[in-house]
Amino acid sequence: MDKLRSMEIFTAVVDGGSFTAAAARFDMSAVMVGKHIRFLEERLGARLLARTTRRQSLTEIGEQYVEQCRSILAQVRAAESGAEAMRLAPRGRLRISAPVTFGSESLAPLLPSYLARHPEVSLDLELNDRLVDVVDDGYDAAIRIGELDDSGMIARRLRPYRMLICASPDYLARHGEPRVPADLAQHECLDFMHWKKLVRWRLGDDDGAAPPRVSRFRSNNGQALKQAALAGFGIVMQAEMMLEQEVAAGRLVSLLEAHIPTPRTTHILYPRDRQATPKLTTFVDFLLEHFGPQ
Protein backbone atom coordinates (compact mmCIF):
# COMPACT_ATOMS: atom_id res chain seq x y z
CA MET A 1 0.00 0.00 0.00
CA ASP A 2 0.98 3.63 -0.44
CA LYS A 3 2.34 4.74 2.92
CA LEU A 4 1.39 8.40 2.50
CA ARG A 5 -2.13 7.38 1.51
CA SER A 6 -2.41 5.19 4.60
CA MET A 7 -1.16 8.08 6.76
CA GLU A 8 -3.84 10.34 5.26
CA ILE A 9 -6.54 7.77 6.03
CA PHE A 10 -5.24 7.25 9.56
CA THR A 11 -5.42 10.98 10.33
CA ALA A 12 -8.93 11.08 8.82
CA VAL A 13 -10.00 8.26 11.16
CA VAL A 14 -8.65 10.20 14.12
CA ASP A 15 -10.19 13.50 13.01
CA GLY A 16 -13.54 11.94 12.04
CA GLY A 17 -13.74 9.67 15.05
CA SER A 18 -14.52 6.50 13.10
CA PHE A 19 -13.65 4.26 10.15
CA THR A 20 -17.00 5.15 8.61
CA ALA A 21 -16.23 8.89 8.57
CA ALA A 22 -12.86 8.25 6.93
CA ALA A 23 -14.43 5.89 4.41
CA ALA A 24 -16.96 8.54 3.38
CA ARG A 25 -14.19 11.15 2.98
CA PHE A 26 -12.10 8.94 0.70
CA ASP A 27 -15.00 7.21 -1.05
CA MET A 28 -14.00 3.71 0.02
CA SER A 29 -15.39 1.01 2.28
CA ALA A 30 -14.79 0.89 6.03
CA VAL A 31 -13.14 -2.48 5.45
CA MET A 32 -10.56 -0.85 3.17
CA VAL A 33 -9.95 1.85 5.81
CA GLY A 34 -9.22 -0.93 8.30
CA LYS A 35 -6.70 -2.47 5.88
CA HIS A 36 -4.80 0.83 5.69
CA ILE A 37 -4.67 1.09 9.48
CA ARG A 38 -3.42 -2.50 9.80
CA PHE A 39 -0.80 -1.83 7.13
CA LEU A 40 0.63 1.01 9.23
CA GLU A 41 0.45 -0.97 12.44
CA GLU A 42 2.27 -3.91 10.85
CA ARG A 43 5.03 -1.63 9.54
CA LEU A 44 5.41 0.01 12.93
CA GLY A 45 5.04 -3.17 14.92
CA ALA A 46 2.67 -1.41 17.31
CA ARG A 47 -1.03 -0.68 17.78
CA LEU A 48 -2.19 2.82 16.83
CA LEU A 49 -5.82 2.52 17.85
CA ALA A 50 -7.39 0.83 20.81
CA ARG A 51 -10.72 -0.45 19.50
CA THR A 52 -13.77 -1.80 21.36
CA THR A 53 -17.26 -2.58 20.09
CA ARG A 54 -18.46 0.85 21.19
CA ARG A 55 -15.49 3.24 20.71
CA GLN A 56 -11.92 3.66 19.59
CA SER A 57 -9.10 5.70 21.02
CA LEU A 58 -5.47 6.41 20.25
CA THR A 59 -2.79 4.42 21.95
CA GLU A 60 0.21 6.31 23.34
CA ILE A 61 2.19 5.45 20.21
CA GLY A 62 -0.82 6.42 18.10
CA GLU A 63 -0.99 9.86 19.72
CA GLN A 64 2.65 10.54 18.86
CA TYR A 65 2.38 9.02 15.38
CA VAL A 66 -0.69 11.00 14.29
CA GLU A 67 1.07 14.29 15.07
CA GLN A 68 4.07 13.21 13.01
CA CYS A 69 1.72 12.18 10.21
CA ARG A 70 0.08 15.60 10.23
CA SER A 71 3.50 17.29 10.02
CA ILE A 72 4.68 15.07 7.16
CA LEU A 73 1.45 15.47 5.20
CA ALA A 74 1.60 19.26 5.64
CA GLN A 75 5.14 19.27 4.21
CA VAL A 76 4.02 17.14 1.26
CA ARG A 77 1.14 19.52 0.55
CA ALA A 78 3.51 22.49 0.77
CA ALA A 79 5.94 20.81 -1.63
CA GLU A 80 3.16 20.04 -4.10
CA SER A 81 1.80 23.55 -3.82
CA GLY A 82 5.25 25.02 -4.42
CA ALA A 83 5.83 22.79 -7.43
CA GLU A 84 2.45 23.72 -8.86
CA ALA A 85 3.18 27.41 -8.36
CA MET A 86 6.54 27.07 -10.12
CA ARG A 87 4.83 25.26 -13.00
CA LEU A 88 2.26 28.00 -13.48
CA ALA A 89 4.36 31.16 -13.08
CA PRO A 90 8.06 32.14 -13.27
CA ARG A 91 9.36 31.42 -9.80
CA GLY A 92 12.49 30.00 -8.20
CA ARG A 93 16.24 30.16 -8.81
CA LEU A 94 17.89 29.89 -12.23
CA ARG A 95 21.52 28.76 -12.59
CA ILE A 96 23.00 29.93 -15.88
CA SER A 97 26.51 29.33 -17.25
CA ALA A 98 27.97 31.67 -19.86
CA PRO A 99 31.40 32.43 -21.39
CA VAL A 100 33.21 35.25 -19.62
CA THR A 101 33.11 37.88 -22.37
CA PHE A 102 29.55 37.24 -23.52
CA GLY A 103 28.31 37.01 -19.95
CA SER A 104 30.00 40.14 -18.65
CA GLU A 105 29.73 42.38 -21.70
CA SER A 106 26.34 41.50 -23.17
CA LEU A 107 24.26 39.35 -20.83
CA ALA A 108 24.88 40.79 -17.37
CA PRO A 109 23.77 44.37 -18.23
CA LEU A 110 20.38 43.02 -19.39
CA LEU A 111 19.64 40.70 -16.48
CA PRO A 112 18.18 43.41 -14.20
CA SER A 113 15.52 43.92 -16.88
CA TYR A 114 14.65 40.20 -16.86
CA LEU A 115 14.51 40.11 -13.05
CA ALA A 116 12.33 43.23 -12.99
CA ARG A 117 9.83 41.47 -15.27
CA HIS A 118 9.79 38.39 -13.04
CA PRO A 119 10.17 39.48 -9.41
CA GLU A 120 9.81 35.95 -8.02
CA VAL A 121 12.80 34.62 -9.97
CA SER A 122 16.37 34.68 -8.64
CA LEU A 123 19.36 34.11 -10.91
CA ASP A 124 22.90 32.82 -10.48
CA LEU A 125 25.14 33.72 -13.42
CA GLU A 126 28.43 31.82 -13.47
CA LEU A 127 31.03 32.96 -15.99
CA ASN A 128 33.52 30.41 -17.18
CA ASP A 129 35.16 29.70 -20.53
CA ARG A 130 35.34 25.95 -19.89
CA LEU A 131 32.62 23.66 -21.25
CA VAL A 132 30.42 22.88 -18.25
CA ASP A 133 28.23 19.81 -18.00
CA VAL A 134 24.77 21.34 -17.75
CA VAL A 135 23.16 18.35 -16.03
CA ASP A 136 25.99 17.10 -13.81
CA ASP A 137 26.99 20.62 -12.73
CA GLY A 138 23.41 21.53 -11.88
CA TYR A 139 22.74 24.32 -14.38
CA ASP A 140 19.34 25.10 -15.84
CA ALA A 141 20.95 26.27 -19.09
CA ALA A 142 24.30 27.22 -20.60
CA ILE A 143 25.34 29.57 -23.38
CA ARG A 144 27.82 27.96 -25.72
CA ILE A 145 29.98 29.60 -28.42
CA GLY A 146 31.24 27.46 -31.30
CA GLU A 147 30.16 24.24 -32.93
CA LEU A 148 28.10 21.87 -30.80
CA ASP A 149 28.63 18.19 -30.27
CA ASP A 150 25.69 15.80 -30.34
CA SER A 151 24.86 16.19 -26.67
CA GLY A 152 21.16 15.45 -26.83
CA MET A 153 20.45 18.93 -25.48
CA ILE A 154 17.92 21.39 -26.83
CA ALA A 155 19.88 24.15 -28.61
CA ARG A 156 18.35 27.50 -29.56
CA ARG A 157 20.44 29.56 -31.94
CA LEU A 158 21.50 33.06 -30.91
CA ARG A 159 23.24 35.84 -32.83
CA PRO A 160 26.69 34.82 -34.19
CA TYR A 161 29.76 35.72 -32.13
CA ARG A 162 31.74 38.23 -34.20
CA MET A 163 35.28 39.47 -33.72
CA LEU A 164 36.93 42.86 -34.36
CA ILE A 165 40.56 43.81 -34.88
CA CYS A 166 41.42 47.21 -33.42
CA ALA A 167 44.17 49.55 -32.35
CA SER A 168 44.25 53.01 -30.83
CA PRO A 169 44.75 56.10 -33.01
CA ASP A 170 47.99 56.75 -31.09
CA TYR A 171 49.38 53.31 -31.92
CA LEU A 172 48.48 53.68 -35.60
CA ALA A 173 50.07 57.13 -35.73
CA ARG A 174 53.34 55.64 -34.47
CA HIS A 175 53.37 52.32 -36.33
CA GLY A 176 51.11 52.74 -39.35
CA GLU A 177 47.96 50.81 -40.25
CA PRO A 178 48.14 47.19 -41.44
CA ARG A 179 46.40 46.84 -44.80
CA VAL A 180 46.59 43.05 -45.28
CA PRO A 181 47.06 40.25 -42.75
CA ALA A 182 50.72 39.78 -43.70
CA ASP A 183 51.41 43.30 -42.37
CA LEU A 184 50.65 42.07 -38.85
CA ALA A 185 54.10 40.46 -38.75
CA GLN A 186 55.47 43.99 -38.29
CA HIS A 187 53.09 44.89 -35.45
CA GLU A 188 52.57 44.17 -31.77
CA CYS A 189 49.65 41.72 -31.80
CA LEU A 190 48.19 41.16 -28.34
CA ASP A 191 47.67 37.44 -27.70
CA PHE A 192 44.76 35.76 -25.96
CA MET A 193 46.25 32.86 -24.02
CA HIS A 194 43.22 30.57 -24.50
CA TRP A 195 43.55 30.58 -28.28
CA LYS A 196 44.74 27.31 -29.74
CA LYS A 197 48.24 27.62 -31.17
CA LEU A 198 47.16 26.70 -34.70
CA VAL A 199 44.53 29.44 -34.88
CA ARG A 200 46.51 32.24 -33.21
CA TRP A 201 45.80 35.37 -35.29
CA ARG A 202 44.79 33.28 -38.31
CA LEU A 203 42.53 35.51 -40.41
CA GLY A 204 40.21 33.81 -42.83
CA ASP A 205 40.87 30.68 -44.88
CA ASP A 206 43.52 32.03 -47.25
CA ASP A 207 45.52 34.43 -45.17
CA GLY A 208 48.44 32.21 -44.32
CA ALA A 209 49.88 31.28 -40.96
CA ALA A 210 49.92 33.33 -37.81
CA PRO A 211 52.28 36.29 -37.57
CA PRO A 212 55.77 35.09 -36.66
CA ARG A 213 56.38 37.67 -33.94
CA VAL A 214 55.78 36.37 -30.41
CA SER A 215 53.58 38.81 -28.55
CA ARG A 216 55.22 40.68 -25.69
CA PHE A 217 51.90 40.88 -23.88
CA ARG A 218 49.52 37.96 -23.46
CA SER A 219 46.53 37.47 -21.19
CA ASN A 220 43.76 35.00 -20.51
CA ASN A 221 41.35 37.93 -20.17
CA GLY A 222 40.03 39.95 -23.12
CA GLN A 223 39.45 43.04 -20.99
CA ALA A 224 43.15 43.16 -20.11
CA LEU A 225 44.05 43.02 -23.80
CA LYS A 226 41.55 45.77 -24.59
CA GLN A 227 43.10 48.01 -21.95
CA ALA A 228 46.56 47.42 -23.43
CA ALA A 229 45.23 48.39 -26.86
CA LEU A 230 43.58 51.53 -25.45
CA ALA A 231 46.92 52.43 -23.90
CA GLY A 232 48.49 52.28 -27.38
CA PHE A 233 50.60 49.16 -26.86
CA GLY A 234 49.36 47.02 -29.75
CA ILE A 235 46.59 45.55 -31.89
CA VAL A 236 43.82 43.57 -30.23
CA MET A 237 41.48 40.95 -31.69
CA GLN A 238 38.52 40.31 -29.41
CA ALA A 239 34.74 40.00 -29.47
CA GLU A 240 32.80 42.76 -31.21
CA MET A 241 30.62 43.16 -28.11
CA MET A 242 33.72 44.07 -26.10
CA LEU A 243 35.20 46.55 -28.57
CA GLU A 244 32.30 48.16 -30.44
CA GLN A 245 31.69 50.98 -27.94
CA GLU A 246 35.37 51.92 -27.98
CA VAL A 247 35.29 52.01 -31.79
CA ALA A 248 32.11 54.12 -31.82
CA ALA A 249 33.74 56.58 -29.41
CA GLY A 250 36.92 56.80 -31.53
CA ARG A 251 39.16 55.37 -28.81
CA LEU A 252 39.91 52.38 -31.04
CA VAL A 253 39.99 52.05 -34.84
CA SER A 254 38.62 48.96 -36.58
CA LEU A 255 41.20 47.29 -38.85
CA LEU A 256 41.29 44.58 -41.54
CA GLU A 257 37.50 44.35 -41.64
CA ALA A 258 37.58 42.19 -44.77
CA HIS A 259 39.76 39.62 -43.02
CA ILE A 260 38.21 39.11 -39.59
CA PRO A 261 37.62 35.47 -38.60
CA THR A 262 34.34 33.86 -39.59
CA PRO A 263 31.70 34.55 -36.90
CA ARG A 264 31.08 31.57 -34.63
CA THR A 265 27.69 30.13 -33.85
CA THR A 266 26.16 30.79 -30.44
CA HIS A 267 23.42 28.79 -28.71
CA ILE A 268 21.63 28.47 -25.43
CA LEU A 269 21.47 24.84 -24.33
CA TYR A 270 19.19 23.12 -21.83
CA PRO A 271 18.36 19.47 -21.14
CA ARG A 272 15.87 17.84 -23.47
CA ASP A 273 14.35 15.67 -20.75
CA ARG A 274 13.98 18.43 -18.16
CA GLN A 275 10.44 19.76 -17.74
CA ALA A 276 10.43 23.32 -19.03
CA THR A 277 9.41 25.54 -16.13
CA PRO A 278 8.17 29.11 -16.65
CA LYS A 279 11.41 30.49 -15.19
CA LEU A 280 13.41 28.67 -17.88
CA THR A 281 11.07 29.32 -20.80
CA THR A 282 10.82 33.03 -19.98
CA PHE A 283 14.62 33.26 -19.74
CA VAL A 284 15.07 31.55 -23.12
CA ASP A 285 12.48 33.87 -24.66
CA PHE A 286 14.29 36.86 -23.11
CA LEU A 287 17.59 35.78 -24.69
CA LEU A 288 15.96 35.31 -28.07
CA GLU A 289 14.35 38.73 -27.76
CA HIS A 290 17.73 40.40 -27.25
CA PHE A 291 20.18 38.03 -28.96
CA GLY A 292 18.07 36.16 -31.50
CA PRO A 293 19.43 35.66 -35.04
CA GLN A 294 19.11 38.76 -37.18
Side-chain angles (χ1 to χ4, degrees), residues 7 25 47 50 72 81 88 96 120 122 135-136 141 160 164 178-179 186 201 213 224 228 263 285:
M7 292 167 72
R25 176 175 170 183
R47 295 289 297 275
I72 291 168
S81 176
L88 296 176
I96 305 298
E120 295 187 71
S122 301
V135 176
D136 289 348
L164 284 181
R179 301 294 180 181
Q186 309 303 318
W201 279 92
R213 178 186 293 187
D285 289 343

Side-chain angles (χ1 to χ4, degrees), residues 214-253:
V214 176
S215 177
R216 293 173 57 212
F217 180 46
R218 302 186 304 155
S219 177
N220 66 344
N221 181 270
Q223 282 283 359
L225 299 177
K226 182 180 80 169
Q227 293 303 320
L230 287 168
F233 184 76
I235 299 175
V236 64
M237 180 167 65
Q238 280 294 308
E240 179 184 55
M241 62 188 67
M242 179 185 291
L243 302 176
E244 58 187 351
Q245 290 187 359
E246 307 295 348
V247 172
R251 291 185 288 269
L252 291 176
V253 177

Side-chain angles (χ1 to χ4, degrees), residues 28-93:
M28 64 176 60
S29 68
V31 173
M32 182 57 71
V33 170
K35 289 182 178 179
H36 280 279
I37 302 303
R38 286 193 297 275
F39 167 73
L40 292 175
E41 290 178 331
E42 289 171 1
R43 286 190 63 87
L44 295 170
R47 295 289 297 275
L48 296 173
L49 295 169
R51 296 181 289 275
T52 67
T53 55
R54 301 184 61 182
R55 62 186 296 272
Q56 64 185 28
S57 61
L58 287 167
T59 64
E60 183 179 1
I61 291 176
E63 288 179 353
Q64 180 185 44
Y65 188 67
V66 74
E67 294 305 319
Q68 293 173 334
C69 286
R70 289 193 176 106
S71 176
I72 291 168
L73 292 170
Q75 291 180 46
V76 170
R77 286 191 293 271
E80 291 175 341
S81 176
E84 178 70 7
M86 290 181 69
R87 187 180 66 82
L88 296 176
R91 183 178 285 107
R93 183 168 295 278

